[in-house]
Structure formats: structure tokens, C-alpha cells
Amino acid sequence: MENQKNLFERSKQLVPGGVHSPVRSFKGLESTPRFMEKAEGAYIQDTEGKSYIDFCMSFGPLILGHKNSKVEKSLQQALKKGWSYGACEPYSLELAEYILSRIPFLDQIRFVNSGTEAVMTALRLARGKTGRDKLLKFNGCYHGHVDSMLIKAGSGLAGTSTASSKGIPKNVAEDTLILDLNDEKALQECFDVHGESIAGVIIEPLPANNGLLIQNPDFLKKINSLCKANGSLLIFDEVISGFRVNFSGMAHDLDITPDIVTYGKVIGGGLPVGAIAATKSVMETLAPVGDVYQAGTLSANPLAMVGGLSTLQQLDEATYKKVDDNALKIEELFNDWFKSYENGKFSHYKIIRYKSLFWFAPNNSNLKSIDDIPQNLTQEFLPLFETLLEKGIYLSPNAYEIGFVSLAHDSEVLKDLERRLYN
Ligand SMILES: *Cc1c(COP(=O)(O)O)cnc(C)c1O
């Protein structure tokens, strides 16, 4: 059993910042990242044997909990036959049929290996289909690490933009327009000026990567109608919300039919899967039928397809209800604890929740755009994070990341959570 700090020191020598994704780093925290070596149900365990109730849940894919027994069994069966063919195989066909039979507005799907890849393809598809160059995105929505999406608002007029990461050419940034969420006036103005050159509008219909900024449905309806009126394609990035809030995602909850949907996270049940889906006429713009190129050596990897299918097959009405009920109880428990812990040390916190997604938010919580979020969020969050970590409750180490509840966070786990919180 090697000490956590030693592992991190070794890792820092070999890997930038010691992590393979920056959200895993404990930047700004006193403690160092925990090296996890196994997990089951709602629990994750580090290499020193300390167990945590996990609310990070691999950042969202594990809606059934860690190491779900049916998923495990189907993976083991598939593994015996091989794990990559680079040829057509029945596993992805089965997953495609399963998904498309349950989501009525989609005709075709293509599997890729991550949410980022799905977004990258969706954007190229929107541009290829419309013959236009400009994209519109919203401040506070995350769409993976695609060049054209690592963009923040510029200092000039509404809609102007600049790269939010080094390494992105200026001309790439210039083709991405950016607006604040929940601002219908700016949206209308942007379409008045640029409508005819906007290939696609991409949005997280439930913005969940910069806190949880639950949108007014009218705002999304307005985006939809402006897209229709201007011939721009509406891309719902449902990488977090797809198969999570219900099988058909936010498109169902908002009663809006996007032109293209991107999936990731839950669709692979913890294995690397992303997907782009749309109607046949949009999807057949992709190679080899159409002229928009997209490919992948490991796309539709058989193990990943099996992991996805056996996860999605367990997602029926009853499962969603249980997961959401678990989340409601967890919200209540945390909210009570915030009020009572150490004379109200954390009493300025309140859970914002949409179904099984929740966020430790500042108390005054009608938060709809990033301007509504207090500036000092990170400093406020660090002591809360460290306190919970110490108590064996694991969250994403970042104030702006949300928490995920799974089917495995059941009443037994709830009792344990209560015990840990008040211990
Ligand atoms: C996680 C996420 C992505 C990126 O997916 P990766 O699999 O991390 O590349 C894109 N969009 C949204 C909405 C996400 O939550």
C-alpha cells in the first residue's frame, strides 16, 4: 500500500500536473489527488484502503453505480471472444437499434470514443450540411476540448469571442460567436446580424459543466425557432444529460427536437463511447455516403458497445424514478447538514438539483448564467471539499463541477452518508 502523496509525486514526474485530465487535479487544495484502485456500487476506494461514498461517479457515466453486476457479466462474456475487430460487428448494431428504437426523433447514429469527438463531428456536420462557417455557443457551456469550443466572450460587442486556451488560432476563434445564457435580447440581435452565416448553434440544454444553470425553457424554445427561421442547425450537446435525465434526455423534457444530438458519458456506461445522432438526411452527409469526413480506428469498440448496451437496457421508468428519489433524499440530507454543521460554517450552501444531477451552490440560487455565480466560489468550496473528503465523501475536486447520483446510492448508502456527515 503506497502512500497517496508518493504516488502523486511519482506521477508528477511523468505526467503534466500528475493527471491525465485537469479536472482530476486537486489544484488549489491542500490535499493531493486520491489514487483510486477499486469501486463498487456507490463506493470508491483509494490505494490506502480508505473508502468514500462517491458523488463524482467518473463524472457522470455510471448511472447504475460502479461495477454493476449485469454490465460486468456482459463485459466478461464479450471479452472472451476478443476486443477489437476493426470491421463491422453485431455489437454496435444492437446498441444502435436499441437507442434509435427508444428515441423517436432520431433515425441514425454514429459511435465515436468520447464526447469531445462527438461534438467535433457534430460541428463539422453542421458546417458541411449548411455550407456555412459560423458557430454559436454559450458562455458557461462546455463542449469538450475542441478548438472552436474553447472560446470565451471577447471584450467588444456581444457575440465577439477570443480563445480561452492558448494554442487556438485566431481565425478559429473568430468563427465562434458567443453569447450569455438566458439573454434572449442578445440572442435575437446576434441572429439579426449573423443569422445567414450561422451553421449551427450548440448548447447544453441543461448546462451542467459550470455549476448547474437550469435554463428557462422559453430561452431554448427561442433558440430553436431562430435556428429554424435562419436555416441554422440546432445541436443539443446531451453528453451529460442524455440517458441521464431520462432516456431521451433534455430534448424530451423541453419538448424540443434538435437537428443533431451529441452523446457521451452514460451512453458507454463507463467505457469510452460518444455518439452523434440525427435524422437520416443530416447523418447521411457523413462519409462514406456524404462528403463530411469522420472516422475512428477504435470507434464502436465491441467491449464499449456491450458496456453501453447493458447499461442502457437497465434504464426504464422505474430505474429513473429510483435514481431521482435517491437524489432527492441526498439533497435533503445535505441541505440539513449545511444548516447544522459547526454553527453554520457551510450554511450559505444549498443544493441545486435537476433529477440526479446536483450542485453545491451558493444559497441565493436563481442561477441562470455565469454572471449570476459569485466570484469567490472556489475559495468557498475548498474547505467544504476537504471536510467531506476527510469524512469519506468524494466529490469532483472543483467548485464548478456537479455531483452525480446513481441507482446504487440507495437507502443503505443514505444511512451511511448521514452517519459520515454527522460523525
Ligand atoms: C463531458 C462533456 C463533454 C466532453 O466529453 P469527453 O468524453 O470528456 O470528451 C462534452 N460536452 C458535455 C456537455 C460534457 O458534459
Side-chain angles (χ1 to χ4, degrees), residues 186-358:
L187 178 68
Q188 179 69 55
E189 284 168 8
C190 181
F191 267 97
D192 288 346
V193 177
H194 300 288
E196 285 181 1
S197 44
I198 298 175
V201 178
I202 185 165
I203 188 166
E204 283 181 82
L206 177 67
N209 277 287
N210 210 292
L212 189 60
L213 303 171
I214 302 167
Q215 295 299 291
N216 188 336
D218 286 343
F219 181 65
L220 286 132
K221 295 206 160 95
K222 172 103 180 168
I223 296 174
N224 186 33
S225 64
L226 284 169
C227 281
K228 298 280 173 302
N230 288 272
S232 312
L233 299 185
L234 175 59
I235 305 166
F236 268 9
D237 183 353
E238 298 236 38
V239 170
I240 278 193
S241 51
F243 311 105
R244 162 65 67 173
V245 301
N246 61 58
F247 202 86
S248 307
M250 289 302 290
H252 173 271
D253 283 14
L254 295 160
D255 194 21
I256 294 175
T257 304
D259 297 294
I260 302 175
V261 194
T262 55
Y263 296 112
K265 300 193 170 109
V266 175
I267 197 175
L271 287 98
V273 183
I276 314 100
T279 56
K280 191 166 187 240
S281 93
V282 173
M283 288 303 284
E284 290 195 339
T285 310
L286 284 176
V289 188
D291 297 330
V292 173
Y293 193 69
Q294 184 277 332
T297 301
L298 292 176
S299 287
N301 171 269
L303 283 188
M305 296 292 103
V306 165
L309 182 63
S310 62
T311 298
L312 299 192
Q313 281 172 334
Q314 296 181 61
L315 299 177
D316 56 17
E317 289 297 314
T319 308
Y320 284 115
K321 185 166 183 329
K322 276 188 213 151
V323 178
D324 295 351
D325 280 352
N326 292 346
L328 169 66
K329 290 180 191 138
I330 283 160
E331 171 185 357
E332 290 169 349
L333 193 55
F334 272 118
N335 280 344
D336 285 343
W337 179 77
F338 290 144
K339 284 182 215 142
S340 63
Y341 184 71
E342 286 191 0
N343 304 318
K345 185 173 175 189
F346 298 128
S347 62
H348 51 294
Y349 272 101
K350 193 162 183 254
I351 299 272
I352 293 184
R353 184 175 68 86
Y354 189 91
K355 298 189 173 173
S356 58
L357 304 172
F358 70 89

Side-chain angles (χ1 to χ4, degrees), residues 114-117 119 142-145 204 209 237 239-240 265:
S114 70
T116 295
E117 251 188 90
V119 167
Y142 177 68
H143 301 294
H145 56 100
E204 283 181 82
N209 277 287
D237 183 353
V239 170
I240 278 193
K265 300 193 170 109

